Amino acid sequence: MTEKPYTIGEWLEIYQDGVRTPRDLIFQLISSLNPHDPALILSCPEWFIEKQLQQLEKAENKSLPLYGIPFVVKDNIDVKGLATTAACPEFVYIAKENATVVDRLMNAGAILIGKTNLDQFATGLVGTRSPFGAVPNTFDSRYISGGSSSGSASMVARGIVPFSLGTDTAGSGRIPAGLNNIVGLKATPGKVPMQGVLPACKTLDVVSVFSLTVADAEKVLSIIEETADQNIPPLFVNQNAWFRNGEGLPKLGIPANPLLDREIGYQKAFENTVAKINEQFNMTTINMGLFEQVAQLLYEGPWVAERFITIEDLYKSKPHTIDLTVKKVIEKALQFDAITTFKKQYELEDLKKKTQEIWREIDVLVVPTTPNCPTINAVAEEPILRNSELGTYTNFVNLLGLCAIAIPASISDSGLPFGITLIAPNGFDHALVKLASILENDNTLFLGKNLRSKLPVDQLHSSALACKSSIEIAVVGAHLKGMPLHYQIQNSACKWLETTVTAKEYRLFALANTNPPKPGLVRVEEDGAEIEVEIYQMPLDQVGAFLKQIPEPLGLGSIKLQNGRFVKGFICEPIGVLGAKDISEFGGWRGYLKHG
């Protein structure tokens, strides 16, 4: 255990002895923040921190997955009672509610300590387009940090917080990770809720996660993710499965002729990385032409009009307050009409179909996160050109509905970090994370900006992925391990994932006249309790047969867990609990059978 905690695991460990508390360490951390740090737009006021700590102390639950863990969010993500500026002071408003992702992290025990700098209105990949100042590269201040989520990446790379949230439309959650030697996880569009996030391109945006390790990124994703954003049409099937249906190693593809910056050593770094990966996995070269055509649509097509929608009122009333480069990019929206928009949508759909042929050849695309790392001065001289170059391997990903994770690969000969990004079809998020962890384990890089060497405890220790597409099922009574109907779970080829509890929003009833005896779980508006459940992974092709075995008044519905996420599970119709015995005080079916 290091004196200064860096990862989520280290922060949790430091609290275990009870000597050091979140109250002690969080206020100590805040007092150490530099008020002139360009990465930080807002350090949370004392009253706001105090409110969070009181809520955490009231819970008295050190088992919360993010108990007392500090984090920051990009300042286009709403936090109730705090200002959202999107790096434009004249645009500022006070958020009336937390973004859903912030709520879920706080419910899991995390403590928000600040809001971070960004390329204004999340328009840019450089980290320099902000009136709050350019965020420099953490390894060499002459170079850019990457954007638009520059501040969130910088805070993690320097070990100030173990994780942070950014957003990613064109690469903003990956490029800053690659340029600062950290992990940047961008889920499948629709997998993470976007309520309370100021849009850049509403149909494409994804909240991203920055962390020092792949394991920490997955931990955060597991807390904020959901099956699909209700405000966006389902874009993916949640595979939750290993590649190639669990049969053999995934086949990887790499760009056929990557043109990378030789002067700073990126070309050599990528060649060395590919050679090392090729020792474990089968690799094939891929013509990137189709992906390049998709990438051009993002800023040269009508999707830029979505950026205009967010700032339309400001553009009309105070256009001088908008960063000149951001304004130039967004003004392109004015040249598109409805006819052009539909034509470009048809073009994108055609390109999507053509790229499916590539995904029949490979499971994962491995690309350099960026082809170069320009200096801050170089970006100032040619801001749009340098930005365009940075997005070579990122701009196409969200338009195609893909998932991606950027991971450190090496330190180049110039001393600058070099990273790679793994890209996979929609829904393969957790499989991609597992692959990233395998590759992460193959290098000896220090964490972040030379914080410390990697340790075995930093590695991913998640449950094995299913061999088939699956969903998570929560069982609460007769299907628990050792109970009379557990054989139905076993016959459905389920895998046990964890034993946990529901959110404190449920009552449990012992149903009358059921054979074998069963409970009924009902969600209530008040006076709820936490109820023990077991979570299993069930192959999708088994769900239908399993449903047929469930008698009324029971059924499968959505159950909210303690950490705020929802899974499918056993629920009971309200009519079924009429005359039934309320057994919530026992905390679950096992407790009732033991003491009831």
Side-chain angles (χ1 to χ4, degrees), residues 67-253:
Y67 177 84
I69 307 298
F71 74 108
V72 293
V73 300
K74 186 176 180 178
D75 196 24
N76 61 342
I77 299 175
D78 284 350
V79 179
K80 184 177 180 180
L82 300 184
T84 298
T85 72
C88 182
E90 291 78 7
F91 182 80
V92 65
Y93 62 89
I94 304 300
K96 295 181 179 179
E97 299 293 340
N98 286 332
T100 301
V101 288
V102 173
D103 258 343
R104 291 182 178 181
L105 292 170
M106 288 180 170
N107 288 338
I111 303 292
L112 181 73
I113 68 164
K115 303 192 76 180
T116 58
N117 205 354
L118 63 151
D119 280 328
Q120 192 178 77
F121 296 112
T123 300
L125 296 173
V126 290
T128 65
R129 301 174 182 173
S130 170
F132 296 99
V135 179
N137 189 287
T138 53
F139 281 72
D140 188 331
S141 61
R142 295 173 299 170
Y143 291 83
I144 65 166
S145 60
S148 60
S149 308
S150 52
S152 291
S154 178
M155 296 283 280
V156 170
R158 289 179 286 151
I160 298 172
V161 291
F163 79 91
S164 64
L165 297 186
T167 59
D168 189 311
T169 305
S172 297
R174 290 161 278 160
I175 286 172
L179 297 184
N180 291 279
N181 198 48
I182 61 173
V183 174
L185 175 57
K186 185 215 73 69
T188 298
K191 190 174 181 62
V192 175
M194 298 302 295
Q195 294 92 335
V197 179
L198 185 72
C201 292
K202 191 171 184 178
T203 60
L204 301 177
D205 297 341
V206 178
V207 168
S208 59
V209 178
F210 294 106
S211 64
L212 293 169
T213 68
V214 173
D216 280 358
E218 188 195 44
K219 189 178 189 74
V220 175
L221 176 63
S222 71
I223 291 168
I224 65 174
E225 71 180 340
E226 61 187 3
T227 304
D229 189 331
Q230 295 178 355
N231 291 334
I232 299 177
L235 301 178
F236 68 95
V237 174
N238 189 8
Q239 304 288 349
N240 210 19
W242 187 237
F243 302 107
R244 308 183 72 80
N245 202 26
E247 299 174 0
L249 294 174
K251 190 172 183 180
L252 312 184

Side-chain angles (χ1 to χ4, degrees), residues 48-66:
F48 185 85
I49 300 296
E50 181 64 33
K51 183 177 179 181
Q52 292 181 89
L53 289 170
Q54 288 181 9
Q55 189 66 30
L56 186 65
E57 290 162 354
K58 183 180 178 181
E60 295 182 346
N61 189 350
K62 288 187 178 181
S63 65
L64 289 172
L66 296 176

Side-chain angles (χ1 to χ4, degrees), residues 504-507 522-529 582:
K504 202 173 183 179
E505 300 175 14
Y506 291 88
R507 305 298 296 180
V522 178
R523 193 175 184 185
V524 294
E525 292 184 359
E526 55 185 23
D527 297 326
D582 189 328

Side-chain angles (χ1 to χ4, degrees), residues 374-515:
T375 63
I376 292 175
N377 288 339
V379 169
E381 291 172 3
E382 296 183 279
I384 293 180
L385 175 61
R386 298 283 86 85
N387 193 95
S388 177
E389 291 171 348
L390 286 166
T392 300
Y393 297 108
T394 59
N395 284 350
F396 61 85
V397 175
N398 281 6
L399 279 169
L400 294 175
L402 308 173
C403 55
I405 182 169
I407 59 173
S410 66
I411 301 299
S412 67
D413 290 343
S414 63
L416 293 170
F418 171 76
I420 58 172
T421 294
L422 313 180
I423 303 169
N426 55 47
F428 279 97
D429 304 78
H430 287 280
L432 202 61
V433 165
K434 182 176 178 180
L435 176 61
S437 182
I438 294 171
L439 299 181
E440 174 189 55
N441 194 36
D442 287 341
N443 68 56
T444 57
L445 294 174
F446 275 56
L447 298 181
K449 175 59 171 70
N450 300 322
L451 300 177
R452 66 162 172 78
S453 58
K454 287 188 294 188
L455 302 171
V457 294
D458 296 326
Q459 292 304 300
L460 184 66
H461 299 289
S462 61
S463 303
L465 293 169
C467 291
K468 297 180 179 180
S469 298
S470 60
I471 63 171
E472 292 179 351
I473 298 285
V475 301
V476 70
H479 288 86
L480 296 168
K481 289 180 183 178
M483 298 295 171
L485 297 182
H486 185 66
Y487 73 91
Q488 294 180 359
I489 290 290
Q490 294 173 312
N491 291 347
S492 299
C494 292
K495 291 185 178 181
W496 175 84
L497 295 179
E498 63 175 324
T499 298
T500 185
V501 294
T502 67
K504 202 173 183 179
E505 300 175 14
Y506 291 88
R507 305 298 296 180
L508 190 67
F509 297 85
L511 303 180
N513 304 316
T514 57
N515 185 29

